[in-house]
Amino acid sequence: MLQIEWAEMHMPVVARFIRERFEQEKPLKDVRVGATLHVTKETAALVRTLVAGGAEVRLAASNPLSTQDEVAAALARHDGVEVCAWRGMSEDEYFSCIRWVAKWEPNIVIDDGGDLHATLHKEYPDVAGRVWGGTEETTTGVIRLRAMEKEGVLRYPAIAVNDAKTKTMFDNRYGTGQSTIDGILRATNILLAGKIVVVAGYGWVGRGIANRARGMGARVIVTEVDPIKALEAVMDGFDVMPMMEAARRGDVFITATGNKKVIRREHIEVMKDGAILANAGHFNVEIWVPDLEEMAVSKRVIRPNVTEYRLPDGRRIYLLAEGRLVNLVAAEGHPSEVMDMSFANQALSAEYLVKNRGKLEPRLYMVPREVDEEVARLKLRALGIEIDRLTEEQKEYLSSWQL
Ligand code: NAD
Ligand code: SAH
């Protein structure tokens, strides 16, 4: 399929280096890998590498609106992968696909957002008890796994792929930074130059978006709850203020907090006519859509992925992508180049879990440092970039205190 070929062309680490080794070594031979991921051309590249390593894969969507249907069909048709995903599925259908993965009794589980891990633990605890290990793609999923570990309920070792340096620093920051702007522009085609863009949250994702929006000429306001991050935003040159104040000023609002009700009734009440709301954080809870629904006297889809809510005083508020991840619903998600690193961590973490089967505790583990560094090394190799090496004298200098 041409879309997958295009992604793989830009994913040399996953689709060339790791796949070639997996084809020879078959580290996942006969391993059942159950995955809940956005079904995109980049995910197809990962899945094809897992299959090359000998895995049997069942794949469900990690978001009801992000599936690229032609990719789902191609994986099922050409790669022997069982897929339960289509764009526009209902919430019930979404969870029934996740259950379909859980019921299959996977050995390794790969999740994005934590719904598969949560479903296994809540509804299929015996199956969870037999899982060899799991991985998690995103910040919110890692937060959930950490809460499970803290409560002592986690039933298998889990690797926080999100927290690998070669994931967060690139995927969350540059990937979301670019693709969120891409999603907003594809949905609206507005001019960003001169607009007041409010970014909620100045974590990895928020930083990426704020910087890219500024690069397009927007005047950017940041909202935060963490004083250190807020200070960082100030010193990076952004205006920082509470959402209640930013709500009156913004033309475009982008949430990136992983938190719920970040934009809610009291904020919507003071927004300008024509304000645009987009979420790049987590599921559909950051912009509290039930408030918009209750406040509106009418609603219509004015363009694909743009819903207009008319308020009683005549103001119009535009919600993008139904409040779900704008970059994956209105655009194609992150560019392949960054998913190459995120998914290299996924492939190598799955291999690590299989190799260390039975040796790990049911705890949350970081991606091993050697894996993280290997991903960076392979990416540099693909880019044709060489770097210096420490001399013996330098190594000694850096490891001694007697100069
Ligand atoms: P992070 O922890 O680095 O940043 C989140 C920031 O939001 C923190 O600085 C926190 O203080 C702030 N915050 C929390 N509640 C807030 C509130 N009420 N108002 C203002 N700020 C608030 O996390 P991250 O890696 O930046 O990820 C953020 C979210 O984006 C997560 O849900 C993650 O899963 C998701 N994510 C989405 C994509 C995507 O493709 N759209 C990619 C990566 C991560
Ligand atoms: N599943 C939840 C959680 C956030 S998803 C939800 O849909 O709301 C955020 C994750 O999507 C990121 O961590 C990123 O790695 C992944 N992602 C972004 N672009 C992608 C792409 N093109 N293909 C597959 N996954 C992608």
Side-chain angles (χ1 to χ4, degrees):
M1 191 228 184
L2 299 182
Q3 291 283 12
I4 300 175
E5 195 181 320
W6 178 253
E8 292 190 342
M9 163 76 206
H10 296 92
M11 298 177 72
V13 179
V14 167
R16 195 147 38 95
F17 300 147
I18 297 178
R19 188 175 299 168
E20 279 167 11
R21 183 171 66 74
F22 273 22
E23 263 160 6
Q24 281 171 8
E25 299 175 8
K26 300 282 178 206
L28 305 177
K29 191 167 181 319
D30 300 329
V31 176
R32 282 196 305 277
V33 177
T36 303
L37 292 166
H38 298 288
V39 181
T40 62
K41 59 193 189 306
E42 290 74 27
T43 295
L46 168 65
V47 166
R48 283 159 53 88
T49 292
L50 299 174
V51 170
E56 283 174 56
V57 181
R58 258 196 188 193
L59 176 65
S62 68
N63 182 305
L65 298 184
S66 65
T67 298
Q68 296 166 4
D69 288 337
E70 67 284 12
V71 170
L75 276 175
R77 183 152 190 188
H78 303 300
D79 296 288
V81 176
E82 291 187 275
V83 186
C84 189
W86 59 95
R87 188 184 163 99
M89 61 203 325
S90 69
E91 195 102 1
D92 280 352
E93 289 165 339
Y94 168 77
F95 277 105
S96 73
C97 285
I98 291 181
R99 288 191 193 100
W100 167 84
V101 173
K103 281 190 272 196
W104 183 53
E105 303 223 357
N107 304 124
I108 298 291
V109 288
I110 299 181
D111 200 1
D112 176 336
D115 281 345
L116 177 56
H117 297 308
T119 302
L120 274 163
H121 282 78
K122 279 195 250 174
E123 298 178 31
Y124 305 93
D126 294 344
V127 177
R130 289 192 290 275
V131 166
W132 302 351
T135 66
E136 174 50 54
E137 173 75 8
T138 200
T139 314
T140 296
V142 170
I143 290 173
R144 289 174 167 189
L145 283 171
R146 198 162 283 129
M148 290 162 87
E149 182 189 42
K150 204 168 153 204
E151 273 182 36
V153 298
L154 187 61
R155 304 202 63 159
Y156 45 78
I159 298 186
V161 164
N162 178 74
D163 295 0
K165 289 199 168 74
T166 47
K167 199 281 184 180
T168 338
M169 284 173 62
F170 305 95
D171 171 314
N172 299 31
R173 182 168 43 172
Y174 302 125
T176 322
Q178 179 169 316
S179 62
T180 297
I181 302 295
D182 183 16
I184 292 172
L185 295 185
R186 287 197 206 192
T188 63
N189 198 29
I190 56 165
L191 179 74
L192 275 182
K195 290 275 189 311
I196 299 183
V197 172
V198 178
V199 178
Y202 202 65
W204 287 103
V205 170
R207 280 186 209 114
I209 297 168
N211 279 290
R212 290 299 178 259
R214 173 157 69 186
M216 300 284 286
R219 295 138 73 196
V220 178
I221 295 174
V222 168
T223 72
E224 249 300 341
V225 290
D226 176 333
I228 300 173
K229 301 263 179 64
L231 194 57
E232 186 185 3
V234 170
M235 299 235 177
D236 284 346
F238 296 105
D239 280 339
V240 176
M241 62 187 75
M243 181 57 85
M244 204 55 233
E245 216 175 308
R248 297 173 206 282
R249 305 194 193 185
D251 299 306
V252 180
F253 293 81
I254 308 169
T255 50
T257 68
N259 210 340
K260 69 194 281 199
K261 298 190 177 181
V262 176
I263 293 182
R264 50 184 185 268
R265 179 183 286 269
E266 69 210 68
H267 306 123
I268 298 164
E269 266 164 5
V270 301
M271 283 179 184
K272 293 182 198 168
D273 180 30
I276 292 170
L277 313 184
N279 170 40
H282 187 67
F283 291 117
N284 55 353
V285 297
E286 302 214 14
I287 300 165
W288 200 244
V289 184
D291 279 353
L292 253 184
E293 295 275 346
E294 271 174 38
M295 293 166 78
V297 289
S298 66
K299 162 181 160 183
R300 60 180 176 156
V301 174
I302 190 161
R303 287 163 59 91
N305 295 312
V306 185
T307 307
E308 179 190 85
Y309 289 84
R310 191 176 278 272
L311 303 180
D313 61 7
R315 277 178 304 130
R316 291 150 296 177
I317 305 289
Y318 295 101
L319 178 68
L320 307 192
E322 300 178 25
R324 292 191 182 273
L325 303 185
V326 71
N327 61 327
L328 278 138
V329 178
E332 293 170 64
H334 297 356
S336 311
E337 291 91 331
V338 283
M339 292 317 295
D340 195 20
M341 288 188 276
S342 309
F343 284 165
N345 279 292
Q346 285 286 9
L348 298 179
S349 294
E351 178 184 34
Y352 180 87
L353 286 169
V354 171
K355 267 194 187 149
N356 290 284
R357 183 185 164 193
K359 293 189 207 144
L360 304 170
E361 304 287 315
R363 284 203 296 109
L364 185 61
Y365 289 86
M366 293 302 105
V367 171
R369 195 188 157 97
E370 28 336 328
V371 169
D372 212 350
E373 285 183 358
E374 176 68 1
V375 172
R377 243 190 305 275
L378 291 174
K379 191 72 185 175
L380 284 169
R381 191 172 127 202
L383 293 168
I385 293 171
E386 291 186 21
I387 58 172
D388 286 326
R389 281 170 201 274
L390 291 171
T391 63
E392 286 309 314
E393 194 185 357
Q394 286 172 332
K395 272 189 206 161
E396 201 180 315
Y397 182 74
L398 290 178
S399 57
S400 68
W401 61 278
Q402 286 173 319
L403 303 176

